[in-house]
Amino acid sequence: MPRPTLARIDLEALRHNYRQASERAAPALAMAVVKADGYGHGIAQVAQALSDAPKYAVACLEEALAIRAAGLLQPVVLLQGVHSAGDLDLCLQRGFEPVLHGHQQLDWLEQGEARPTFWLKVNTGMNRLGFHPDELADVMARLDRLGARPGLLGFVTHFACADDNDSAMTEEQTACFVEATAPWPELMKSVGNSAAHFIPGQPLFDWSRPGIMLYGGSPLLGKIGPELGLKPVMSLQAPLMSVRTIEAGESVGYGAGFVADRRLRMGMVAIGYGDGYPRHAGTDTPAATNGRRIRLIGRVSMDMLAVDLSNVPDAREGDVVELWGETVAVDEVARCAGTIGYELLTGITARVPREYR
């Protein structure tokens, strides 16, 4: 038998979270962001479960093709645009909507005959991708000369600090975006990442782009998903493979990083950083078994980790340990590991099978 370490994926929880995003976005529509293999949940399965979404959004062409391979026909927005002139032909053929963000991409549009529908990205302060607001008039004039304006759907931007909903930068970026795009009121606008759905009074215009919130993770600093009405979609589980008692003064794991201060019942769990569990999650990172919370002790190894079973005296070999899921939010584990839930969900390796329900 294969080891029973797996990631259980609750597709009804996914749909619940998408409904929450749609309600918060209204009257804007919500495109489902399923990039990075559906944030580690399986892009085909996630997209099929969200087949009512009017659009999907991905990072790159390969992900868009995976959605088509799953039999889904909705428009797919390519958030990074295209990486060669030939990609525009494929976008036209397959109904993909690239976000064009630089002059090289406009050169490709000029050089080729393919004219897919597309978006323009505006750099309102994130300073990763996009045209500066002062460039937009020239960009639009160039599109007119190319005869490409009819294919332009609208403008997008991305917020740098929406996870901190007290940040003035989101207001500044929104004002910059509104001013920059004001000469073309007939075109659509999209600004809203997951965090923006939770900012009181934040306009989301025509299309929002919920990502992490679909999977039950919190997009806001200092919050966990359930506090925002979101349901965990992934439950990462592994069995107790060994249970033993150690005495006060004995250590556990590499580097002897944990030393027991009392007699302690402990267990070894069949999961480690080779499965994508964060190596930097140290002692006191929460987990759960038999419905009760427990804690990690010592260093995470490649294939296993240790837990303190003091809270669960009846725990036995073979019992299931939840690393994150219903009892322990992925955001809690991320906080202990000095990272974010996004990284944990997308980091689960192919060695861990996904089980869908």
Side-chain angles (χ1 to χ4, degrees):
M1 287 182 61
R3 63 177 188 154
T5 298
L6 56 85
R8 294 184 184 273
I9 309 298
D10 184 344
L11 296 176
E12 183 50 46
L14 176 76
R15 287 187 281 265
H16 165 86
N17 295 338
Y18 179 75
R19 288 192 295 269
Q20 294 294 307
S22 296
E23 290 170 8
R24 286 182 171 275
L29 297 174
M31 62 178 80
V33 181
V34 297
K35 62 181 180 173
D37 195 30
Y39 283 55
H41 294 68
I43 189 169
Q45 293 85 353
V46 164
Q48 288 169 337
L50 298 178
S51 60
D52 290 340
K55 282 185 197 285
Y56 300 105
V58 298
C60 56
L61 200 56
E62 302 93 305
E63 295 171 337
L65 290 169
I67 291 174
R68 289 290 179 264
L72 298 157
L73 302 178
Q74 290 95 320
V76 183
V77 177
L78 304 182
L79 297 174
Q80 285 189 4
V82 293
H83 295 275
S84 73
D87 292 346
L88 292 170
D89 293 301
L90 195 55
C91 288
L92 179 61
Q93 295 166 15
R94 305 304 299 272
F96 303 151
E97 300 174 358
V99 175
L100 305 186
H101 53 75
H103 291 283
Q104 184 180 49
Q105 293 177 326
L106 295 184
D107 292 343
W108 294 336
L109 194 66
E110 183 173 9
Q111 293 161 10
E113 296 181 2
R115 296 287 166 80
T117 55
F118 63 97
W119 300 75
L120 288 180
K121 187 157 194 175
V122 184
N123 176 17
T124 57
M126 183 84 158
N127 287 315
R128 295 193 310 185
L129 301 173
F131 297 100
H132 191 276
D134 292 344
E135 297 179 278
L136 271 190
D138 289 341
V139 169
M140 297 297 279
R142 183 178 182 185
L143 293 176
D144 282 332
R145 292 194 299 272
L146 295 176
R149 265 289 293 279
L152 177 59
L153 295 170
F155 304 99
V156 306
T157 196
H158 196 56
F159 292 139
C161 298
D163 57 347
D164 179 1
N165 59 20
D166 292 327
S167 171
M169 187 170 183
T170 304
E171 290 185 21
E172 293 168 4
Q173 285 190 261
T174 302
C176 175
F177 185 72
V178 169
E179 181 180 1
T181 59
W184 306 280
E186 72 281 8
L187 295 173
M188 294 188 292
K189 301 178 181 66
S190 176
V191 302
N193 57 6
S194 288
H197 290 72
F198 295 94
I199 300 176
Q202 172 62 45
L204 297 181
F205 302 103
D206 301 292
W207 286 94
S208 74
R209 307 190 302 273
I212 189 65
M213 69 178 295
L214 300 184
Y215 309 97
S218 171
L220 299 181
L221 295 174
K223 296 286 187 180
I224 61 175
E227 293 174 340
L228 301 175
L230 304 174
K231 294 184 177 181
V233 177
M234 179 189 291
S235 178
L236 184 63
Q237 303 178 358
L240 279 171
M241 55 190 297
S242 172
V243 175
R244 71 180 64 218
T245 300
I246 60 173
E247 303 296 334
E250 290 189 309
S251 65
V252 176
Y254 285 120
F258 173 83
V259 179
D261 60 1
R262 66 186 188 283
R263 198 165 192 263
L264 185 71
R265 195 160 179 266
M266 57 159 284
M268 296 305 302
V269 186
I271 195 167
Y273 63 79
D275 302 291
Y277 190 86
R279 182 177 180 272
H280 297 296
T283 295
D284 294 332
T285 298
T289 189
N290 298 342
R292 284 166 283 180
R293 290 169 72 99
I294 56 177
R295 62 171 184 148
L296 270 62
I297 53 176
R299 289 187 190 173
V300 174
S301 303
M302 182 180 290
D303 309 307
M304 66 188 85
L305 54 81
V307 292
D308 177 356
L309 296 174
S310 300
N311 290 345
V312 194
D314 58 341
R316 297 291 181 267
E317 292 177 5
D319 286 354
V320 173
V321 174
E322 175 195 289
L323 287 310
W324 61 69
E326 292 286 342
T327 305
V328 175
V330 67
D331 305 300
E332 295 181 80
V333 179
R335 193 178 301 156
C336 290
T339 185
I340 54 177
Y342 305 67
E343 182 179 18
L344 300 192
L345 294 174
T346 60
I348 297 302
T349 67
R351 188 165 77 168
V352 178
R354 276 66 168 172
E355 180 181 281
Y356 296 89
R357 60 187 177 98

